Amino acid sequence: MPEAPDSEGPDRDCPERPLLNPTVTPLCRDGRTLHLVANPMNGPSYTLRDEDDERVLAKLPVLLDGTRRVENIARELEYDDVDALRSAIEALYDRNLVLDGASVERPSVVGYAALKPTMLEERARDGIEATVLVIGPERPGAYVLNDLRDYGVSNVRASGAAANALDRDDGLAPATDPLADEVERAGFVVALERLPGDARLREVNEFAVEAETPLLVATIDRTAGTVGPTIVPNQTACYDCYRTRLRANASDPDRFDAYLSGGADPETGPLEAFERIIASYATLACLNYLLSGAGLTVGSQLTFDFFEWSIESNDVLKLPRCPCCSRVELGHQRFVELEDVWEPEQ
Ligand SMILES: [Zn+2]
């Protein structure tokens, strides 16, 4: 029969339907010893032993599910001494390792999938007080604009061809000021681009770094796309850092430059479904940043291969002495010698 060592005697009656405390991990290594561990760093917080019967302790944790009565648990274990079992469960209940299943409120399944469900719900209900500038081609730009508006972002502005998609009575506004001013005024910028051709991304990146406005870059090629990096100026890599690192990895850097400085062919653009995927991820990355100040694509990038249906995530590291975002001026003396700082007395 299960024995609870150093049991001081239960102070509370055994709960009608015992539930193993969800924060406790049961460990049963040899069938006769059950450790109930509250935290992997603490070691066993409580141990039950049964020298006589191998079957009971190994099966017990699963049956403490808050729906079974103690008599039913004993019957399923084929264990005759219901009072001994009740006494062992009482000792666990007394130490909060077992809860009263009838009084525990069951959390909804929805909560398991959300990092901070209450925060998301509250912000969604109240709306998000922010100005987001969306720059990009008409179709993916329109997806992002509408999704941000529908989620409750208070001020969504559109620049580039994306502005053509706006319905003026729709709570969205065209960006009418010069791009540098619009970027400075925005709390967040989403810049979409169809590759090849990245001149506009480099321009927006420069404005964003200058104005210290967070910027999310997303690109769409015919059968591939990227979301990220989300650039937090002076903290994470900028678009120029990213582009320079890409170029350094290209087998033919000159052809890489030629490819990116060419223009996208409107006749052979990506499928609308691909654009929808990239736009959706870009919207989620933007909302995540606005809600939490962080996100999956801050300092990293998701790459989608629509041909092979693969997705991968890579870090994008800051480039030392990047001409755009490094505060260290190029050409200044990098090495300081002893004579520069100390002049020996004559
Ligand atoms: Zn940079």
Side-chain angles (χ1 to χ4, degrees):
M1 101 186 33
E3 285 175 17
D6 60 48
S7 171
E8 295 154 7
D11 298 321
R12 301 187 291 179
D13 289 338
C14 181
E16 186 89 346
R17 298 172 194 273
L19 168 71
L20 189 66
N21 190 327
T23 62
V24 170
T25 306
L27 291 173
C28 190
R29 293 214 169 97
D30 60 4
R32 289 191 164 89
T33 310
L34 177 68
H35 299 301
L36 296 170
V37 186
N39 171 325
M41 312 306 283
N42 286 349
S45 66
Y46 202 72
T47 301
L48 288 174
R49 283 203 179 82
D50 187 346
E51 300 298 342
D52 306 326
D53 197 331
E54 280 197 8
R55 297 165 304 164
V56 176
L57 287 179
K59 293 180 188 165
L60 181 60
V62 178
L63 300 175
L64 297 173
D65 63 355
T67 66
R68 293 170 161 86
R69 292 175 185 278
V70 179
E71 305 84 67
N72 296 344
I73 294 172
R75 193 164 53 244
E76 288 191 50
L77 291 171
E78 297 175 17
Y79 187 69
D80 298 332
D81 196 342
V82 179
D83 286 341
L85 182 65
R86 189 185 301 277
S87 167
I89 293 173
E90 262 176 359
L92 299 177
Y93 182 52
D94 208 33
R95 287 160 179 78
N96 223 24
L97 299 167
V98 158
L99 308 173
D100 181 356
S103 66
V104 172
E105 220 172 276
R106 303 268 161 175
S108 78
V109 179
V110 177
Y112 285 110
L115 187 62
K116 291 179 179 171
T118 51
M119 181 185 77
L120 289 172
E121 282 161 15
E122 281 167 16
R123 294 298 290 267
R125 197 172 52 237
D126 299 341
I128 301 171
E129 231 11 87
T131 299
V132 177
L133 175 67
V134 179
I135 305 166
E138 186 164 338
R139 201 165 57 196
Y143 289 141
V144 175
L145 288 165
N146 287 317
D147 286 349
L148 290 175
R149 188 269 322 273
D150 290 349
Y151 197 80
V153 175
S154 60
N155 189 8
V156 188
R157 301 173 69 80
S159 178
N164 300 339
L166 292 183
D167 176 346
R168 299 300 160 90
D169 303 325
D170 211 14
L172 302 164
T176 46
D177 291 337
L179 190 56
D181 297 341
E182 291 284 349
V183 170
E184 187 177 2
R185 185 193 306 161
F188 194 92
V189 178
V190 180
L192 302 146
E193 192 58 279
R194 279 200 189 117
L195 293 182
D198 72 340
R200 185 164 49 181
L201 291 181
R202 301 189 77 182
E203 184 187 24
V204 174
N205 175 64
E206 208 176 310
F207 293 150
V209 169
E210 182 67 31
E212 302 201 355
T213 306
L215 163 69
L216 167 66
V217 172
T219 66
I220 306 160
D221 210 335
R222 271 179 294 177
T223 58
T226 60
V227 178
T230 295
I231 295 148
V232 182
N234 300 317
Q235 293 185 53
T236 65
C238 79
Y239 180 73
D240 266 15
C241 296
Y242 162 68
R243 194 183 189 280
T244 308
R245 288 189 182 278
L246 270 188
R247 187 179 187 279
N249 284 320
S251 55
D252 185 341
D254 290 339
R255 283 186 64 189
F256 174 81
D257 283 339
Y259 164 75
L260 277 186
S261 54
D265 180 358
E267 299 299 316
T268 57
L271 289 181
E272 188 171 347
F274 298 163
E275 291 188 321
R276 189 70 180 100
I277 291 169
I278 297 298
S280 298
Y281 271 84
T283 303
L284 290 172
C286 170
L287 288 172
N288 198 34
Y289 185 89
L290 294 176
L291 289 167
S292 69
L296 277 175
T297 56
V298 173
S300 69
Q301 182 189 61
L302 291 174
T303 303
F304 296 78
D305 185 331
F306 298 121
F307 194 71
E308 300 203 354
W309 277 40
S310 68
I311 307 173
E312 64 176 62
S313 172
N314 290 298
D315 288 342
V316 179
L317 301 177
K318 214 164 157 35
L319 192 75
R321 295 186 289 280
C322 166
C324 181
C325 71
S326 174
R327 285 174 182 269
V328 179
E329 285 179 24
L330 289 177
H332 97 298
Q333 186 173 352
R334 288 170 203 158
F335 301 105
V336 178
E337 295 182 356
L338 193 58
E339 286 75 16
D340 295 327
V341 294
W342 180 67
E343 218 169 273
E345 287 180 22
Q346 298 298 318

